[in-house]
Amino acid sequence: MLADLWPLYGLTIVTPRLQLRLPREEELAELADLAGRGVHRPDERPFLTPWTDGTYTDRAQAVLQGHWHQLASWDAAAWRLGMGVFRADQPIGVVTLRAQDFTVVRQVTTSAWLGLEHQGKGYGTEARAGLLTLAFDHLGAAAALTEVFQDNHSSQGVSRKLGYEPDGISVDARDGEALVSDRLRLTLQRWRERKQPAVTVEGMDACRVFFGL
């Protein structure tokens, strides 16, 4: 019934080891708990928006509010799709695909987090490859963008593996400090030139109107 009323709940991406989909409420609570327990080492600050600062409860509630806000504010002209990452039905993180004026600019941006205990196993690369398959092969994107702090070596590595190329820098303010990020771009041509993992996308036809297609 839920997928009938809100077809995005029927959108599923399957990679060799993972499944990406919108979490149900109990699964969302598990993801919130996972984030509350930590998504990076205490000496790291990998996100421009400092949602991982603070307490366990602060992080957990940020995940809940962020997910609910994305669903409630969905607009075909400016959307943000936050999908739970599941390994053998266990939630291990969240990957997000977002775009503004997609039907005109044909560009998407990705972001992600994984629970600490699930990092370093290639899940981040595989999950982003799943998102990019949706973007390029099913939505018709021309390019995918990401911004990464220059000292975020793990995220930089994921982007390099997937074929992203340098696209300049951006400078943002956080806590009175100027922070430099590398802008990275993956074009459709570059995506098709590289060998990708086997990915299946299910339920897309019913969702096309949500993306303005």
Side-chain angles (χ1 to χ4, degrees):
M1 175 67 76
L2 186 59
D4 290 338
L5 296 173
W6 196 261
L8 289 172
Y9 274 100
L11 181 61
T12 304
I13 303 170
V14 180
T15 71
R17 297 181 295 170
L18 306 172
Q19 185 183 76
L20 315 181
R21 55 179 171 78
L22 287 183
R24 272 36 177 195
E25 289 299 298
E26 287 305 313
E27 294 168 335
L28 179 60
E30 292 181 59
L31 284 165
D33 172 67
L34 184 66
R37 289 186 277 118
V39 300
H40 58 77
R41 297 194 308 267
D43 60 334
E44 296 177 326
R45 296 188 73 188
F47 304 111
L48 181 62
T49 302
W51 70 273
T52 57
D53 292 354
T55 66
Y56 163 94
T57 301
D58 293 331
R59 291 187 291 273
Q61 290 182 347
V63 170
L64 296 175
Q65 287 185 294
H67 179 77
W68 292 328
H69 176 72
Q70 288 172 26
L71 292 179
S73 62
W74 189 281
D75 189 303
W79 47 264
R80 189 179 180 101
L81 178 65
M83 307 189 86
V85 181
F86 296 86
R87 165 71 170 152
D89 293 326
Q90 176 189 13
I92 67 172
V94 170
V95 288
T96 301
L97 188 72
R98 67 182 187 274
Q100 187 163 344
D101 299 318
F102 177 76
T103 57
V104 178
V105 301
R106 294 290 173 171
Q107 293 187 152
V108 296
T109 301
T110 64
S111 57
W113 62 264
L114 295 177
L116 268 175
E117 62 263 44
H118 304 294
Q119 296 175 15
K121 301 175 183 178
Y123 296 145
T125 303
E126 189 171 322
R128 200 192 307 183
L131 270 190
L132 292 171
T133 298
L134 173 66
F136 286 123
D137 298 345
H138 296 267
L139 296 177
L145 315 176
T146 192
E147 293 191 8
V148 188
F149 289 150
Q150 294 178 328
D151 62 354
N152 189 343
H153 303 299
S154 60
S155 186
Q156 292 269 5
V158 168
S159 298
R160 286 194 299 271
K161 287 178 186 176
L162 291 167
Y164 284 76
E165 298 177 301
D167 191 39
I169 64 169
S170 61
V171 182
D172 298 283
R174 186 181 67 186
D175 298 338
E177 178 185 4
L179 297 175
V180 178
S181 299
D182 288 327
R183 287 203 314 259
L184 305 170
R185 176 185 294 268
L186 177 62
T187 64
L188 174 61
Q189 179 179 349
R190 181 109 170 132
W191 167 257
R192 288 180 172 169
E193 288 173 350
R194 301 174 70 87
K195 182 177 175 59
Q196 306 298 342
V199 175
T200 301
V201 176
E202 302 171 352
M204 180 58 204
D205 286 347
C207 296
R208 294 183 65 81
V209 66
F210 278 71
F211 299 99
L213 302 176

